[in-house]
Amino acid sequence: MHIPSTLLETLKRLVGAENVLTDEASLLLHGYDCSISRARPDVVVQVSCANQIAPIVSQLAQYEIPFVARAAATNHAGSCAPLRGGVVLNLTKLNRILQISTEEKFAWVEPGVVTAQLQEALRPLGFFYAPDPASERICTLGGNLAQNASGARCLKYGGTVDHILAAEVVLPTGQTLSLSRQDLGPDLIGLLTGSEGTLGIVTKIQVKILPLAAHVQTFLATFPSLETCVQTVSDLAAQGIIPRCVEAMDQLTVQTIESFAHAGYPTNADALLILELDGTREQIEKERLQLEEI
Ligand SMILES: Cc1cc2nc3c(=O)[nH]c(=O)nc-3n(C[C@H](O)[C@H](O)[C@H](O)COP(=O)(O)OP(=O)(O)OC[C@H]3O[C@@H](n4cnc5c(N)ncnc54)[C@H](O)[C@@H]3O)c2cc1C
């Protein structure tokens, strides 16, 4: 795709010439994610300040140049591969935690904050951010919002969409919008979350934070069949027990993992469940007895 030299000059003015990349290595490195999609952008723009996004997007809209936002590129959906060429906006430098309020239970972050980085900042304060995608040590909160990511804790706490309180977003026209859960009208945050960057680029996110549970205990249960294993999760829920994490594995999975990790998993069981219960000691003990009975 032809990128007009006037646009390139404007982009350089907006973000600095050193942040407008057209060399082959940079284009190659920004042409893929964790999916099988492969593409080639024409330009990579490294954004270093959230305020740069609206003017960049306005320019791209004016010149009708396609663009995609890219964070850690760990998605498996091909959603940050620039299939139509154009511009990739690399947002990984927007990695500041702006505010944490334990009193009001929220944190404001830039979209390039790595998910685990927020957890590490919250832990000493006795708080945590509930969504826990397995990629949390590399993926970002902006990418999590765009993919509505979730992890093993989603049974009890829900996915990313349940933990976004507010967001600032630059629409594909370059217009900036502030969205809040308290807004009247349709659930625009719900619409934005999981939209894979197609509705706008999120420049600032307010997430819900929760106090750490007083105690967490992990259990491993073995089963004679995968059916009874999975049925147990329903039986637990029917008794009002929602584990904070659940992972089910069939025998082949257990054997595969055990031969690699040597974690001590029982390889002769047809299926197993790993569960984590959280709460007070008394609550966990009560639920443990119910769990054993089931
Ligand atoms: C080893 C591994 C384990 C994984 N485990 C899980 C898991 O347990 N649960 C799960 O849900 N996913 C998982 N994933 C998938 C992936 O990590 C998630 O989808 C993650 O949310 C993507 O974040 P990212 O920062 O890498 O975003 P990217 O892959 O860079 O981008 C993803 C999408 O978000 C858009 N985007 C990025 N930033 C913004 C922004 N600021 N505004 C608007 N759009 C934006 C991009 O355009 C793209 O469409 C895993 C991936 C790997 C490689």
Side-chain angles (χ1 to χ4, degrees), residues 177-252:
L177 211 62
S178 292
L179 302 175
S180 162
R181 283 286 181 199
Q182 288 169 6
D183 295 341
L184 298 176
D187 176 17
L188 294 180
I189 288 186
L191 185 66
L192 182 70
T193 308
S195 65
E196 299 190 350
T198 56
L199 299 181
I201 299 185
V202 178
T203 54
K204 204 171 154 186
I205 310 170
Q206 188 189 36
V207 298
K208 191 194 296 182
I209 60 172
L210 300 170
L212 283 169
H215 298 281
V216 179
Q217 207 170 336
T218 307
F219 298 88
L220 186 148
T222 56
F223 297 87
S225 72
L226 189 58
E227 287 70 26
T228 50
C229 169
V230 173
Q231 180 60 40
T232 299
V233 180
S234 302
D235 294 346
L236 284 169
Q239 292 213 17
I241 302 174
I242 309 290
R244 82 169 201 157
C245 292
V246 190
E247 193 77 62
M249 289 190 253
D250 65 7
Q251 192 176 46
L252 180 63

Side-chain angles (χ1 to χ4, degrees), residues 1-171:
M1 168 172 287
H2 172 66
I3 307 289
S5 57
T6 46
L7 173 60
L8 274 180
E9 288 313 310
T10 308
L11 292 174
K12 286 178 185 170
R13 192 170 42 74
L14 288 171
V15 299
E18 69 284 8
N19 288 315
V20 178
L21 312 175
T22 51
D23 62 286
E24 205 50 45
S26 301
L27 301 183
L28 195 68
L29 287 172
H30 288 80
Y32 63 93
D33 49 28
C34 282
S35 73
I36 55 168
S37 297
R38 295 290 179 271
R40 185 181 182 280
D42 296 284
V43 181
V44 173
V45 175
Q46 301 196 115
V47 178
S48 52
C49 166
N51 291 339
Q52 293 169 341
I53 295 178
I56 294 172
V57 171
S58 298
Q59 287 296 319
L60 297 175
Q62 208 172 309
Y63 282 88
E64 298 186 351
I65 300 293
F67 61 91
V68 287
R70 175 187 162 113
T74 64
N75 81 86
H76 288 85
S79 55
C80 63
L83 297 180
R84 295 171 58 210
V87 174
V88 168
L89 297 176
N90 183 329
L91 306 179
T92 48
K93 285 186 182 174
L94 303 180
N95 59 1
R96 289 180 307 152
I97 297 173
L98 303 170
Q99 186 189 0
I100 294 177
S101 169
T102 52
E103 269 171 31
E104 295 184 57
K105 299 190 177 60
F106 70 74
W108 272 109
V109 297
E110 290 189 321
V113 169
V114 170
T115 312
Q117 186 191 336
L118 178 63
Q119 301 292 17
E120 279 154 25
L122 292 172
R123 199 172 302 120
L125 306 175
F127 277 75
F128 76 112
Y129 171 64
D132 59 338
S135 48
E136 68 176 356
R137 302 213 71 79
I138 34 172
C139 68
T140 68
L141 291 159
N144 293 171
L145 185 153
Q147 300 288 129
N148 192 18
S150 64
R153 285 201 288 256
C154 73
L155 183 67
K156 181 160 188 172
Y157 294 103
T160 298
V161 70
D162 302 299
H163 298 272
I164 306 293
L165 299 173
E168 285 186 10
V169 54
V170 173
L171 301 181

